[in-house]
Amino acid sequence: MLRTAVLAFALSLGVATVQAQTATPADTSDFSQQIAQWRATRLAGLTAPNGWLSLIGLDWLQEGANRVGSAADNDIVLKAGPAHLGVVTLAKGGALHIALDKDSGATVDGKAVHEADLVDDMHAGDAGPSVVAFGNASFLVIERDGRKALRVKDSDAETRKHFAGLDYYPADPSWRIVADWVPFDPPHELEIGSVLGTINKEKVPGKAVFHRDGHTYELMPIQEEPDTLFFVLADRTSGRETYGAARFLYADLPKDGKVVLDFNRAYNPPCAFTPYATCPLAPPENRMDLAVTAGEKKYRGGH
């Protein structure tokens, strides 16, 4: 599932998902402070040593043995690490195993072992996927649309060392919108594409309906976590002032038939910063004929 994939990798990197901490009427006077705090949290997660800016590779595994290392004679050539790290074997049924080179100095889940089974992000559960670490770099295995790949990160990644910062529209309380919540029973199905060209069918529990400048707009979230709604959206600023593929927005669950959409907390997906992420695209249902001049702008250091 799409949300599972996003959350699984975020957790595997130790990066918390950015959720909408909805303000109540009692604390609306602290709006600017709350937005500033949210932005600080967002920046800290993005720029962490194991955050999205640390990605340096997305390498798809072939069935059978895959020799991995930084030397050119490997099947998968890493941008960091020992010349010959080891061999990752992908069985026909999807099982994963790694045999490390005796001189690699690598560990699996913090343990110095010669070989071990690996767990990818879709089958990891609360423990998270297996992490193979070597120096300042590491990788884990992700599964997307039935295929498995090494997601490689390095705290010394150029994208992290030369991060250009985040730009935002001015915080504007008028973009903190209380929308009507229209539940779907049973849930609807929404097709969401990705930058990989895949299409995921997601369950949609309802839609948020709001009004702006005399017009009515609708947004459909997915919900694979019990306590939040996750919107993948685009608008008339997309591809101009904001990232073209989509922006993300989290919201708390509806209460009394209302859901708060704080577009000041709309932010760029990882694909705005690195070519090694597997981000969703805004579905047609969430592409609004409205200029949402709030939240995070296009990354000026974009790849």
Side-chain angles (χ1 to χ4, degrees):
M1 299 291 282
L2 171 66
R3 177 70 182 99
T4 302
V6 173
L7 179 66
F9 185 49
L11 292 178
S12 73
L13 291 177
V15 181
T17 52
V18 184
Q19 298 183 359
Q21 302 165 347
T22 305
T24 63
D27 57 23
T28 51
S29 60
D30 298 327
F31 174 80
S32 296
Q33 182 179 348
Q34 292 171 14
I35 294 301
Q37 182 178 3
W38 180 90
R39 291 178 179 179
T41 301
R42 157 75 172 152
L43 181 63
L46 183 64
T47 58
N50 58 354
W52 292 107
L53 294 175
S54 69
L55 300 188
I56 60 169
L58 177 66
D59 300 293
W60 297 97
L61 294 165
Q62 301 298 319
E63 187 177 309
N66 298 262
R67 294 171 300 160
V68 179
S70 59
D73 61 349
N74 289 283
D75 301 307
I76 292 178
V77 179
L78 303 176
K79 292 183 173 62
H84 298 96
L85 178 68
V87 177
V88 176
T89 301
L90 173 60
K92 187 173 183 179
L96 294 155
H97 187 82
I98 187 168
L100 293 170
D101 187 279
K102 62 182 178 64
D103 298 320
S104 70
T107 61
V108 179
D109 294 329
K111 299 176 181 178
V113 296
H114 174 61
E115 56 184 284
D117 293 330
L118 300 179
V119 180
D120 64 59
D121 67 338
M122 290 294 100
H123 301 88
D126 294 337
S130 305
V131 176
V132 178
F134 39 98
N136 292 327
S138 65
F139 69 72
L140 54 86
V141 181
I142 66 169
E143 180 180 312
R144 299 293 181 269
D145 199 36
R147 301 171 65 202
K148 297 182 191 285
L150 303 185
R151 177 92 75 176
V152 192
K153 60 178 181 175
D154 183 357
S155 60
D156 288 331
E158 292 298 310
T159 45
R160 182 168 181 261
K161 291 194 296 185
H162 301 293
F163 176 56
L166 297 175
D167 296 314
Y168 292 93
Y169 291 100
D172 182 352
S174 76
W175 281 108
R176 182 183 177 277
I177 296 173
V178 180
D180 294 320
W181 177 252
V182 180
F184 296 152
D185 188 15
H188 288 190
E189 194 172 74
L190 185 65
E191 291 188 347
I192 300 183
S194 78
V195 296
L196 298 177
T198 60
I199 295 178
N200 292 285
K201 293 184 178 180
E202 303 293 338
K203 297 295 184 183
V204 178
K207 62 181 178 181
V209 181
F210 67 95
H211 308 282
R212 183 84 179 184
D213 300 329
H215 298 279
T216 301
Y217 303 94
E218 300 180 353
L219 286 174
M220 296 187 183
I222 63 174
Q223 184 189 0
E224 291 191 7
E225 292 304 302
D227 57 348
T228 55
L229 301 175
F230 176 53
F231 296 86
V232 183
L233 58 93
D235 63 272
R236 286 173 56 190
T237 69
S238 301
R240 298 177 176 87
E241 298 176 2
T242 62
Y243 186 58
R247 286 191 288 173
F248 292 170
L249 178 66
Y250 285 88
D252 290 335
L253 296 182
K255 184 177 181 180
D256 299 327
K258 303 291 183 181
V259 61
V260 176
L261 304 176
D262 191 346
F263 290 102
N264 293 282
R265 302 171 191 248
Y267 68 101
N268 291 333
C271 288
F273 307 97
T274 173
Y276 304 119
T278 58
C279 304
L281 305 173
E285 293 85 348
N286 284 357
R287 291 187 170 271
M288 298 179 290
D289 187 18
L290 168 70
V292 179
T293 53
E296 195 172 307
K297 292 184 175 182
K298 184 186 297 185
Y299 179 50
R300 63 179 179 272
H303 57 89

